[in-house]
Amino acid sequence: MTKPSPMRGEILAAAAEIIVRKGYDACTMRAVAALVDMKAGSLYYHFKSKDEIVEEILNQGIETLHARVTEAMRALPKEAPFADRLSAAVGVHIAGLVGKDQTYMHVYEYLPPVIKRRSRKMRETYAQLWHDLFAGGVASGEVDAGIDLQLMVPYFLGGLNRVPEWLRASGASGNQVAALAITTLLDGIRAGR
C-alpha cells in the first residue's frame, strides 16, 4: 500500500474532511490550504489540482480497504470454509465504509460521477479480490458453479457499497447489515428451505 508523505497525508485528510462535511464544491485548493495552515500557492507543490487530490483520496481509500480485507482473509486458517472467508471480507468491507475513522471511504458518495470514474482501475483491482474469493468458493464446491461471477461480484459489491445509506435510513448497525448480506447470499430469502 502506498503511504503518502506526512504533508501530502495532511492535505488528503483535510480535503476529505471538507468534502464529507461541506460537499465536493466546497473543497477548493484555497479551503484545503487554509485547513492545513499553508498558502494556497504552496499547495501546488504537492498537488497539481483539486482533482488530483480527490483521485488520490479515492485510491488511498480503496487501497486501504483492499489491504484490510486481504489481511482479514489471510488471518483465517488456510482450510477455512467459504462462508467464513465471506463473513470476514464482508465485515471488514462494511466497517471500512461506516467506520468513523474512515473519512477517505466516505468521500465517494459526495462526488460527481465524472470524478468517481477516476478511481476505476483501483476499484477493478479491489473487485478482482472479491472475484477470487467467490472463484475459490466455486473451486471448493461451496458456491454453485453455475453462478456468473462477472455479474455476481459487481451485484454483491454494489449492494455492500450502499450500506451507509441503509444504515442512515434504517438505524441498523454495520454488524446487522453484514449478517443480513451473508445470510441472504448463502441461504437466500425463500421460506421453507
Side-chain angles (χ1 to χ4, degrees):
M1 183 170 70
T2 307
K3 190 170 184 178
S5 69
M7 181 47 69
R8 283 178 70 92
E10 282 185 48
I11 293 166
L12 294 172
E17 181 180 331
I18 292 168
I19 292 169
V20 169
R21 290 185 186 203
K22 298 179 181 177
Y24 175 74
D25 291 336
C27 182
T28 64
M29 294 295 269
R30 186 177 308 278
V32 172
L35 200 54
V36 296
D37 199 25
M38 169 187 292
K39 291 185 179 182
S42 299
L43 195 57
Y44 289 95
Y45 172 77
H46 301 280
F47 292 96
K48 294 176 185 167
S49 67
K50 165 184 164 176
D51 289 347
E52 185 179 324
I53 293 171
V54 173
E55 186 173 349
E56 189 159 334
I57 289 169
L58 291 173
N59 288 336
Q60 287 288 326
I62 296 168
E63 281 183 29
T64 299
L65 194 54
H66 188 288
R68 288 179 179 177
V69 170
T70 299
E71 181 56 34
M73 289 192 297
R74 279 189 189 143
L76 295 171
K78 188 173 182 169
E79 66 280 353
F82 171 75
D84 291 354
R85 293 182 182 287
L86 180 68
S87 294
V90 168
V92 171
H93 182 92
I94 290 175
L97 295 180
V98 301
K100 301 276 188 247
D101 65 332
Q102 304 301 319
T103 308
Y104 284 15
M105 295 307 299
H106 296 256
V107 166
Y108 189 81
E109 67 182 289
Y110 297 96
L111 302 177
V114 69
I115 301 299
K116 289 178 179 179
R117 286 191 289 272
R118 293 190 177 177
S119 65
R120 179 172 284 146
K121 186 172 176 85
M122 283 301 306
R123 284 180 304 162
E124 288 171 356
T125 300
Y126 184 61
Q128 185 63 50
L129 173 70
W130 286 83
H131 186 278
D132 294 346
L133 170 63
F134 279 91
V138 169
S140 69
E142 297 170 272
V143 173
D144 182 354
I147 299 289
D148 182 343
L149 297 183
Q150 297 300 332
L151 294 175
M152 181 63 196
V153 171
Y155 165 77
F156 190 65
L157 280 177
L160 290 182
N161 288 336
R162 301 304 290 261
V163 167
E165 294 172 41
W166 303 352
L167 294 183
R168 282 193 295 270
S170 71
S173 72
N175 289 339
Q176 288 173 306
V177 174
L180 175 65
I182 293 159
T183 300
T184 55
L185 180 70
L186 296 177
D187 301 332
I189 61 170
R190 192 177 331 155
R193 286 185 148 214

